[in-house]
């Protein structure tokens, strides 16, 4: 560990914006992943000048800087595997401008997604990428991970909603990227490159985002399938069926069982449930899309078809999906729900096979895995339920993760749909992008010659995620 | 008193449960302590991570850590927000039990009795959680039982009960906000709401003072009234309720939970105070209608807004306070001119 000039840091960001008590460092050493490693110090800048000062200091001293929003990333993106300064951006949380005529807003990176949407609501518009973690995720973190969510099938991911940004580079230089216009063909679109770069290229200090009108009508439907394959066919047909759902979610039977066991919601004990939603300004158009999706489900033996426009009814239909996480956590006393092989994307035609594969892999490796996800975007999520204190369970998890991503690659899928790479998906990412890694490293070097920004992540992360850092669980050998 | 050695007696049983926390952070934004400091290290998740550090022997116990564990208003917002059903406050209570009477024992947001205590036992009788008792000639707080509701701090006739950390709920802090607001030209009314009856979180959630543009536009403060959120209505002392009048506020509205819905019976305490203050207002030449208490059910934002609108209408009919209190004002002016 390098000695850090704490008084200098306090000079830059103020006495009250620096923390170095071991307890604080321990807390900032975690995110929603399985990893754990402590930063050397935590600083919380309040404005752009302070970020510039910090980046100049860190670059001169060659100290790693890990930019952090809410630390809800699931792959260790904000775990300081090489120590350094954790840059907590929650101190920069102002909504700077909402501009309805020009259809954009400007925000600081620490603004929480839900807060932004509350502020936009009176204007009849919303910011759509919204991940499931929107109540805590910051715009900066969503940019870092290129977050997306249940409605991204229709409205796109963070990258699609971002018009421009201001970024501080190592050394402290502030640059303005992108525009405030809807389209741009002015050279390299560097701001789009920053999206999904997981804090390795620069510190975003302001983002210009576009928004869309809140639809007048929203209708949510549900279908049950006795066979996973049927649900898979329905997904592929819906997505090729000439309509654009605003949501298309898959929940598998492991999740259904968990919800039923712990919540008593009485979901039908089937292999898969599909939730489908359409939205729009004209009811007839929404009706048409919902009917189309219902028919597709029926064609593939979907049963229990129901749908509703009513907000309360919709909440009821969505309850099973919503209660997934607590259900998995409560599934058994001994098992914890870990974020591993947490997300991937495969072509629509492979969704069902992917889910089946996940179940097979889990069974073979003596762990429990559930498959669910925003299948309208081709996105599949899993959780691994395992006895985290048992060393052999980690061996199993390691094998399972490898097998799953081998399959993903074999069907031309991608390692991450929305959660990013961080530490825990590095091996699969490197295998998938083998021929562009050198280019990525060259880009990283152009932005960050001294490699201070989130070093040892993405293409530079170790292949073995189990030993990349300490695990955040107590593992008995 | 002999200090005992720090041991993880109570926490041990939560070992598996701590693994259940998926670290999603859903509990953050609801925690008034986090809202106030905006440091992740004060969020409920952070408390769990820290306790995990203790259990796994990766952190040495310290007063600093104990202070975090004892700093909690027991509002349970984190539990209702938790994505994984973690019983956070139960875990915190057990953690407190491990810290109590060790060299790391501390007070956090729990109540502390100062030297001015006259042993009148008012606070002991009033504590809704049986957390105050008389022992060896002193009144002490059982800091495991204490829920930091603040009733005792607001009741003590000698103002001898306080807490080390208040996170924006103390009179000095609130008074500063009241004074700042009422200096503005259009400002008329202070509305006190508890963290339950109306739940926009503590006013300090905007992190900065009024100069920060963070306060999202939807909550853009009405220039004529300001909502101040305390944790529990029972915390509102009589002097605090009078503070706005001293700053020429036109009126004060207090919103509490409906009867039977406050765990601390803070709504009853608050109602009693408002009732007692009315004749005092009359004696000060202030129309007692300028102080009103309304009961608002948890999360009833619309009801709350309606109550505010009605009150504002009434207050505008009554007009500014200055006319009514011209005498007081004169006294003040005289004082200033002779200075
Ligand atoms: C329960 C749960 C559900 C989730 N659901 C979804 C989902 O539906 N969709 C989805 O996409 N994700 C999801 N996630 C993952 C995660 O919440 C999101 O990716 C989110 O956008 C991360 O935001 P954050 O503020 O927590 O960022 P952090 O985790 O703090 O950071 C994420 C990355 O962004 C970088 N970063 C942060 N701020 C800046 C900045 N100002 N400048 C440059 N880089 C920065 C960090 O270095 C890091 O690499 C979920 C997570 C959990 C725990
Ligand atoms: S119970 Fe305590 S930790 Fe939980 S939200 Fe309330 S104050 Fe925060
Ligand atoms: S909401 Fe629950 S699971 Fe999520 S971080 Fe808080 S305690 Fe952990
Ligand atoms: S009245 Fe409230 S703050 Fe005082 S000791 Fe009892 S529980 Fe604690």
């Amino acid at each position: 560990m390098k000695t850090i000039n704490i008084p200098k840091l306090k000079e830059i960001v103020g006495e009250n914006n620096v923390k170095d008590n071991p307890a604080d460092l321990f807390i900032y050493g975690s995110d929603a992943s399985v990893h754990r490693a402590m930063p050397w110090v935590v600083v919380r800048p309040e404005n752009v000048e302070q970020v510039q000062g910090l980046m100049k200091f860190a670059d001169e001293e060659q100290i790693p800087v890990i930019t952090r929003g809410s630390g809800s990333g699931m792959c260790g993106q904000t775990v300081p595997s090489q120590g350094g300064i954790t840059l907590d951006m929650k101190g920069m949380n102002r909504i700077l401008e909402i501009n309805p005529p020009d259809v954009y807003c400007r925000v600081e990176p620490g603004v929480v997604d839900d807060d932004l949407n509350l502020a936009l609501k009176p204007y009849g518009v919303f910011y759509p990428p919204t991940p499931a973690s929107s109540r805590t995720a910051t715009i900066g973190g969503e940019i870092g991970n290129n977050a997306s969510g249940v409605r991204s099938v229709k409205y796109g991911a963070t990258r699609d909603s971002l018009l421009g940004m201001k970024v501080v580079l190592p050394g402290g230089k502030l640059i303005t990227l992108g525009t405030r216009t809807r389209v741009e063909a002015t050279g390299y679109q560097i701001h789009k490159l920053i999206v999904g770069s997981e804090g390795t290229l620069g510190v975003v200090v302001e983002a210009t985002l576009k928004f869309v009108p809140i639809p007048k009508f929203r209708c949510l439907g549900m279908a049950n399938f006795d066979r996973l394959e049927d649900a898979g066919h329905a997904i592929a047909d819906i997505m090729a069926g000439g309509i654009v759902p605003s949501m298309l979610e898959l929940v598998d039977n492991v999740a259904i069982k968990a919800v039923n066991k712990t919540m008593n919601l009485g979901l039908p004990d089937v292999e898969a449930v599909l939730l489908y939603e359409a939205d729009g300004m004209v009811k007839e158009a929404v009706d048409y899309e919902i009917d189309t999706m219902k028919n597709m489900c029926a064609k593939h033996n979907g049963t229990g078809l129901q749908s509703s426009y009513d907000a309360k009814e919709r909440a009821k239909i969505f309850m099973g999906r919503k209660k997934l996480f607590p259900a998995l956590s409560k599934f058994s006393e001994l098992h914890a729900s870990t974020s591993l092989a947490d997300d991937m994307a495969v072509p629509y035609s492979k969704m069902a096979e992917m889910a089946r594969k996940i179940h097979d892999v889990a069974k073979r490796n003596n762990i429990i895995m559930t498959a669910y996800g925003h299948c309208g975007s081709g996105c599949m999520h899993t959780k691994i339920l395992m006895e985290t204190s048992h060393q052999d369970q980690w061996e199993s998890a390691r094998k399972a993760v490898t097998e799953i991503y081998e399959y993903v690659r074999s069907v031309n899928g991608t390692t991450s749909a929305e959660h990013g790479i961080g530490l825990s998906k590095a091996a699969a990412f490197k295998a998938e992008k083998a021929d562009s890694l050198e280019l990525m490293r060259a880009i990283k070097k152009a932005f960050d010659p001294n490699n201070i920004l989130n070093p040892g992540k993405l293409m530079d992360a170790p292949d073995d995620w189990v030993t990349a850092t300490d695990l955040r669980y107590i593992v008995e050998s | 008193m002999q200090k005992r050695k720090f041991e993880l007696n109570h926490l041990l049983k939560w070992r598996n449960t701590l693994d259940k926390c998926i670290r999603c952070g859903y509990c953050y934004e609801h925690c008034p302590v986090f809202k106030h400091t905006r440091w992740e290290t004060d969020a409920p998740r952070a408390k769990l991570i820290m306790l995990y550090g203790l259990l796994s022997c990766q952190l040495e116990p310290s007063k600093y850590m104990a202070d975090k564990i004892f700093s909690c208003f027991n509002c349970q917002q984190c539990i209702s927000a938790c994505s994984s059903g973690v019983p956070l406050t139960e875990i915190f209570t057990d953690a407190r039990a491990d810290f109590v009477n060790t060299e790391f024992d501390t007070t956090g947001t729990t109540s502390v009795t100062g030297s001015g205590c006259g042993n009148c036992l008012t606070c002991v009788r009033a504590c809704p959680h049986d957390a105050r008792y008389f022992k060896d000639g002193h009144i002490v707080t059982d800091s495991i039982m204490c829920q930091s509701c603040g009733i005792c701090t607001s009741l003590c006739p000698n103002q001898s009960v306080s807490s080390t950390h208040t996170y924006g709920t103390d009179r000095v802090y609130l008074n500063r906000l009241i004074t700042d607001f009422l200096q503005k030209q259009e400002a008329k009314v202070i509305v006190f709401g508890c963290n339950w009856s109306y739940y926009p979180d503590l006013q300090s959630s905007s992190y900065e003072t009024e100069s920060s543009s963070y306060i999202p536009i939807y909550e853009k403060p009405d220039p004529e009234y300001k909502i101040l959120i305390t944790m529990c209505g029972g915390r509102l002392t009589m002097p605090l309720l009078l503070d706005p009048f001293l700053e020429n506020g036109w009126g004060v509205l207090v919103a509490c939970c409906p009867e039977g819905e406050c765990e601390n019976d803070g709504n009853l305490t608050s109602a009693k105070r408002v009732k007692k203050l009315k004749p005092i207002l009359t004696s000060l030449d202030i129309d007692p209608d300028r102080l009103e208490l309304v009961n608002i059910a948890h999360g009833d934002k619309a009801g709350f807004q309606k109550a505010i609108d009605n009150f504002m209408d009434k207050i505008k009919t009554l007009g500014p306070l200055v006319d009514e209190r011209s005498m007081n004002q004169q006294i003040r002016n005289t004082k200033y001119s002779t200075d």
Side-chain angles (χ1 to χ4, degrees):
Chain A
M1 174 177 157
K2 227 173 170 156
T3 322
I4 294 199
N5 186 345
I6 302 276
K8 174 77 186 165
L9 287 177
K10 290 189 173 168
E11 209 177 284
I12 301 172
V13 291
E15 186 78 24
N16 294 330
N17 284 328
V18 178
K19 283 210 187 276
D20 62 347
N21 185 290
D24 293 328
L25 301 181
F26 190 81
I27 290 163
Y28 274 95
S30 273
D31 60 4
S33 72
V34 297
H35 302 285
R36 189 184 70 72
M38 275 161 54
W40 304 333
V41 63
V42 182
V43 294
R44 185 181 61 176
E46 290 177 359
N47 56 46
V48 179
E49 292 71 35
Q50 290 180 355
V51 177
Q52 288 183 274
L54 285 166
M55 293 304 282
K56 183 165 181 291
F57 169 80
D59 204 37
E60 279 166 8
E61 303 277 324
Q62 308 215 355
I63 301 167
V65 174
I66 298 85
T67 317
R68 181 174 174 109
S70 283
S72 69
M74 297 174 115
C75 312
Q77 285 95 328
T78 55
V79 174
S81 52
Q82 302 184 5
I85 302 173
T86 285
L87 200 64
D88 180 347
M89 299 305 286
K90 288 189 288 296
M92 289 179 67
N93 61 351
R94 298 164 191 89
I95 295 168
L96 302 169
E97 182 189 0
I98 294 177
N99 190 328
D102 288 338
V103 197
Y104 73 75
C105 58
R106 285 188 307 119
V107 300
E108 288 188 336
V111 167
V112 171
D113 186 306
D114 273 2
D115 282 346
L116 175 61
N117 271 314
L118 269 169
L120 291 173
K121 205 173 170 192
Y123 298 90
V125 296
F126 75 111
Y127 173 68
T130 301
S133 50
S134 59
R135 68 194 78 178
T136 181
T138 62
I139 298 298
E142 293 183 9
I143 290 173
N145 286 351
N146 189 21
S148 58
V150 289
R151 299 219 162 84
S152 293
V153 50
K154 178 165 180 175
Y155 296 99
T158 303
R159 187 174 280 126
D160 305 306
S161 284
L162 191 99
L163 298 175
M165 58 168 73
K166 286 189 179 159
V167 180
V168 175
L169 299 177
K173 188 172 176 194
L174 175 71
I175 55 171
T176 303
L177 301 171
T179 64
R180 290 184 195 177
T181 58
R182 190 51 64 122
V183 289
E184 185 197 9
T186 320
Y188 299 150
Q189 319 275 293
I190 299 174
H191 58 296
K192 304 264 178 188
L193 189 62
I194 305 270
V195 183
S197 66
E198 302 185 7
T200 61
L201 299 181
V203 181
V204 178
V205 287
E206 185 186 310
T208 306
L209 312 164
K210 65 185 182 192
F211 42 73
V212 293
I214 299 172
K216 279 207 180 79
F217 299 96
R218 227 169 224 158
C219 184
L220 179 66
M222 180 176 164
N224 307 320
F225 294 88
D226 283 331
R227 289 178 60 243
L228 199 48
E229 285 70 19
D230 284 340
H233 291 138
I235 294 168
D237 267 8
I238 287 172
M239 293 313 295
I243 55 156
V244 186
S246 54
M247 184 201 299
L248 186 55
E249 293 284 304
L250 173 84
V251 182
D252 75 350
N253 64 338
V254 179
I256 294 169
K257 283 203 169 82
V259 172
N260 277 343
K261 181 176 166 193
T262 56
M263 315 268 165
N264 222 353
L265 283 185
L267 300 180
D269 190 7
V270 288
E271 273 208 344
V273 170
L274 272 192
L275 296 165
Y276 47 91
E277 188 198 70
D279 67 10
M281 292 297 178
V282 182
K283 183 161 181 298
E284 287 71 20
V286 178
D287 280 342
Y288 172 78
E289 295 193 309
I290 284 289
D291 287 345
T292 310
M293 290 194 271
K294 253 188 205 163
N295 292 339
M296 302 284 187
C297 291
K299 180 176 147 201
H300 294 289
N301 309 316
T303 56
L305 301 168
Q306 51 167 312
S307 65
S308 176
Y309 280 89
D310 179 67
K312 276 204 186 117
E313 277 297 309
R314 280 191 284 134
K316 229 162 100 188
I317 295 175
F318 203 65
M319 192 54 90
R321 170 73 175 84
K322 198 172 164 193
K323 293 288 178 194
L324 200 89
F325 290 144
L328 291 174
S329 282
K330 288 184 192 156
F331 190 62
S332 110
E333 254 314 294
L334 297 172
H335 293 80
S337 164
T338 61
S339 168
L340 287 170
D342 51 302
D343 98 313
M344 60 213 71
V346 291
Y348 295 126
S349 58
K350 300 287 186 245
M351 292 302 297
E353 203 176 297
M354 177 81 245
R356 191 63 85 197
K357 182 80 190 174
I358 290 168
H359 294 157
D360 290 349
V361 167
K363 204 160 168 190
R364 241 181 305 118
N365 288 297
N366 190 30
I367 47 178
I368 304 170
M369 288 184 83
T370 168
Y372 62 97
H374 321 313
C375 52
S377 320
C379 161
M380 182 73 83
H381 291 326
T382 81
K383 287 265 182 205
I384 296 188
L385 299 190
M386 62 174 174
E387 297 181 57
T388 47
S389 61
H390 294 197
Q391 183 71 44
D392 58 330
Q393 287 268 291
W394 289 95
E395 286 309 315
S396 306
R398 189 197 322 250
K399 278 205 329 243
V401 170
T402 309
E403 287 174 30
I404 282 170
Y405 285 115
E406 271 166 10
Y407 170 81
V408 170
R409 255 193 328 282
S410 74
V411 297
N412 295 314
T414 189
T415 309
S416 175
E418 53 179 31
H419 293 173
I421 304 300
L423 291 162
S424 53
K425 299 216 282 283
F429 161 69
K430 285 193 263 186
E432 181 193 330
K433 304 287 185 200
D435 57 359
S436 53
L437 291 180
E438 275 322 301
L439 193 54
M440 290 193 203
R441 290 201 177 97
I443 292 171
K444 162 84 171 148
K445 206 163 174 107
F447 276 86
D448 180 17
N450 290 323
N451 193 27
I452 60 160
L453 276 171
N454 214 356
K457 302 286 167 65
L458 285 169
M459 58 274 175
D460 294 329
D463 281 334
D464 184 6
W465 57 266
V466 183
T467 54
T469 60
D470 285 342
L471 294 168
R472 79 153 162 99
Y473 303 91
I474 303 171
V475 186
E476 278 147 17
S477 46
Chain B
M1 189 183 21
Q2 180 86 35
K3 301 268 182 220
R4 62 178 175 84
K5 208 170 138 265
F6 180 86
E7 277 176 297
L8 289 163
N9 292 328
H10 296 82
L11 260 183
L12 268 179
K13 72 165 185 277
W14 296 108
R15 203 190 115 150
N16 281 347
T17 313
L18 285 181
D19 278 353
K20 300 277 179 189
C21 163
I22 60 165
R23 309 266 161 95
C24 62
Y26 286 10
C27 49
Y28 268 37
E29 119 218 51
H30 299 277
C31 174
V33 181
F34 170 71
K35 281 285 185 188
H36 185 73
T37 68
R38 286 201 71 77
W39 275 110
E40 217 176 299
T41 45
D42 291 318
R45 171 174 87 169
K47 291 187 168 86
L48 291 184
I49 296 177
M50 207 172 61
L51 295 178
Y52 175 82
L54 268 181
L55 264 177
S56 57
C57 303
Q58 292 171 86
L59 281 178
E60 290 290 324
S62 65
K63 219 174 179 78
Y64 186 79
M65 290 162 75
D67 210 38
K68 292 205 180 298
I69 294 301
F70 283 91
S71 289
C72 165
F73 291 108
N74 205 41
C75 67
Q76 317 237 345
Q77 303 286 9
C78 51
I79 296 184
S80 25
C82 178
S83 72
S84 303
V86 180
L88 290 102
T89 50
E90 277 181 60
I91 301 176
F92 301 157
T93 305
D94 273 335
R96 286 183 183 196
D98 283 339
F99 275 111
V100 153
N101 290 338
T102 67
E103 60 183 304
F104 312 113
D105 197 356
T106 181
T107 52
T109 49
T110 64
S111 69
V112 187
T113 314
S115 54
C117 166
N119 284 341
C120 69
L121 301 188
T122 306
C123 57
V124 174
R125 280 190 291 270
C127 173
H129 303 286
D130 294 332
R132 285 177 79 73
Y133 56 97
F134 188 71
K135 192 185 169 198
D136 302 335
H138 300 286
I139 292 175
V140 283
T141 306
D142 177 335
S143 55
I144 304 172
M145 299 282 281
C146 173
Q147 318 270 294
S148 303
C149 71
I151 303 275
C152 56
T153 51
S154 72
L155 270 178
C156 175
N158 294 347
Q159 295 182 17
S160 287
V161 191
S162 60
S163 47
T164 315
H165 298 303
T166 54
Y167 299 98
T169 57
D170 58 297
R171 184 177 170 202
V172 177
Y173 184 87
L174 292 170
N175 192 270
R176 185 163 60 79
L177 299 183
I178 291 169
T179 313
D180 287 353
F181 175 69
L182 288 174
Q183 268 165 11
K184 289 179 192 143
Q185 216 196 346
E186 287 171 290
K188 296 180 178 66
V189 162
I190 294 290
V191 182
F192 290 107
C194 78
N195 202 41
W196 283 270
S197 63
Y198 169 62
Y199 174 48
D201 295 313
L202 293 186
Q203 55 283 350
S204 39
S205 63
S206 55
Y207 172 60
E208 245 300 356
T209 53
E210 296 276 277
S211 63
S212 155
S213 56
Y214 164 74
I215 298 180
I217 298 186
Y218 72 100
E219 287 283 20
K220 201 158 205 159
D222 189 299
E224 298 193 331
Y225 64 86
K226 183 173 182 68
I227 304 172
L228 292 178
I229 306 295
T230 61
M231 281 312 298
C232 174
R235 277 183 179 273
L236 294 169
T237 58
M238 301 226 270
L240 182 62
L241 290 171
L242 283 178
D243 280 344
F245 294 109
L246 291 175
E247 298 298 333
N248 285 334
W250 294 21
V252 172
L253 180 67
V254 181
C256 281
C257 299
E259 227 178 296
E261 286 182 24
C262 175
E263 258 192 24
N264 310 318
D265 284 340
N267 49 356
L268 302 182
T269 315
S270 210
K272 265 190 228 154
R273 286 185 189 142
V274 167
K275 200 171 157 198
K276 268 195 204 155
L277 275 173
K278 292 212 169 218
I280 298 178
L281 286 178
T282 312
S283 70
L284 287 170
D285 284 340
I286 297 174
D287 190 326
D289 275 355
R290 290 182 185 272
L291 174 65
E292 189 180 316
L293 183 131
V294 284
N295 297 107
I296 308 287
H298 175 72
D300 183 7
K301 196 169 174 169
F304 188 52
Q305 190 58 54
K306 198 161 166 245
I308 295 177
D309 292 344
N310 290 344
F311 188 68
M312 289 307 293
D313 286 346
K314 181 170 84 179
I315 284 299
K316 282 184 196 164
T317 327
L318 288 173
L321 187 66
V322 189
D323 302 339
E324 269 181 48
R325 282 200 327 154
S326 51
M327 261 214 340
N328 284 340
Q329 201 61 37
Q330 265 174 19
I331 297 168
R332 264 198 181 178
N333 291 344
T334 324
K335 210 168 120 205
Y336 275 113
S337 57
T338 51
D339 268 349

